[in-house]
Amino acid sequence: EVQLVESGGGLVQPGRSLRLSCTGSGFIFGDYAMSWVRQAPGKGLEWVAFIRRNAFGGTTEYAASVKGRFTISRDDYKGVAYMQMNSLTAEDTAVYFCTRVGDGYAIFLPDYWGQGTLVSVSS
Amino acid sequence: QSALTQPPSASGSPGQSVTISCTGTSSDIGAYNSVSWYQQHPDKAPKLMIFDVTKRPSGVPNRFSGSKSGNTASLTVSGLQAEDEADYYCCSYAGSNSFWVFGGGTKLTVL
């Protein structure tokens, strides 16, 4: 069974940093791209970041709202994806979901999701 | 404001059918046959219910179906059951700059 478990969320002051982790199991972690999607309170979902599998260079992509502040990375030996979040603002307050990105579709898409971890940015 | 527009709520009685719409643009839904739908129960992980506009992952009941016309996609739930009560989100690929765009979600209530 595919499982994704996020951790690292919490309350942080504006301007500070936080690192989220996502531990995957039930699949060969290195065979998949990974992404992060967030959901602000009472709002819809927003794609945040994407990392290709290392066989495709492990390159990354970011939403304009976080580019230059957030960094997605991966450790395939540990089966973990990370997101380093710097210069946080109140607008970053959200539940952050880790997703596996499947490629057995017309176009790759997030096919499995974790339950999310809450990040609250407030003084 | 979400990139894709969904009605905030929908409802139906057990056994009935309900259709949820999702409106985008010619840059997302209209451009790609890559519309997906996710079901989310409270405090649970979103679950993929429909991909590639009309296809169902293994294990998803055939009561769930998807379609698309122009810039609008739809999810139909037939033979409503109590366990179908959840939030539903549409998603479309939107190109290499935006990757995926999502709807604001529709809360489906089974009366």
Side-chain angles (χ1 to χ4, degrees), chain B residues 35-55:
Chain B
V35 176
S36 50
W37 290 87
Y38 300 89
Q39 176 192 67
Q40 186 181 28
H41 288 108
D43 299 321
K44 297 292 186 182
K47 176 185 175 184
L48 181 65
M49 303 299 284
I50 295 288
F51 66 93
D52 296 353
V53 181
T54 63
K55 299 176 183 177

Side-chain angles (χ1 to χ4, degrees), chain B residues 35-85:
Chain B
V35 176
S36 50
W37 290 87
Y38 300 89
Q39 176 192 67
Q40 186 181 28
H41 288 108
D43 299 321
K44 297 292 186 182
K47 176 185 175 184
L48 181 65
M49 303 299 284
I50 295 288
F51 66 93
D52 296 353
V53 181
T54 63
K55 299 176 183 177
R56 282 176 288 106
S58 174
V60 172
N62 59 10
R63 302 184 292 102
F64 292 85
S65 61
S67 63
K68 187 185 92 166
S69 177
N71 299 334
T72 298
S74 298
L75 171 72
T76 297
V77 185
S78 305
L80 271 174
Q81 298 183 5
E83 60 261 35
D84 299 334
E85 186 163 293

Side-chain angles (χ1 to χ4, degrees), chain A:
Chain A
E1 179 191 7
V2 173
Q3 286 196 323
L4 297 167
V5 179
E6 303 94 338
S7 60
L11 176 63
V12 61
Q13 293 179 326
R16 303 298 291 265
S17 300
L18 206 60
R19 188 177 84 156
L20 305 182
S21 300
C22 167
T23 302
S25 61
F27 63 102
I28 300 174
F29 192 86
D31 283 354
Y32 290 86
M34 301 294 293
S35 75
W36 289 91
V37 176
R38 69 184 179 183
Q39 183 173 32
K43 303 293 185 181
L45 298 165
E46 178 191 18
W47 167 71
V48 175
F50 169 87
I51 184 167
R52 294 175 179 82
R53 46 182 164 144
N54 286 333
F56 288 93
T59 52
T60 58
E61 309 288 347
Y62 299 94
S65 57
V66 306
K67 198 168 188 177
R69 299 188 300 122
F70 289 13
T71 302
I72 187 173
S73 61
R74 63 188 300 154
D75 183 334
D76 290 350
Y77 291 106
K78 294 182 179 179
V80 181
Y82 301 98
M83 191 153 73
Q84 176 68 38
M85 305 185 295
N86 299 331
S87 303
L88 286 162
T89 72
E91 286 66 43
D92 297 316
T93 293
V95 174
Y96 285 74
F97 296 98
C98 169
T99 87
R100 191 186 82 167
V101 178
D103 58 7
Y105 310 100
I107 300 176
F108 51 85
L109 58 82
D111 57 1
Y112 286 91
W113 299 53
Q115 288 192 249
T117 186
L118 176 63
V119 172
S120 295
V121 184
S122 174
S123 54

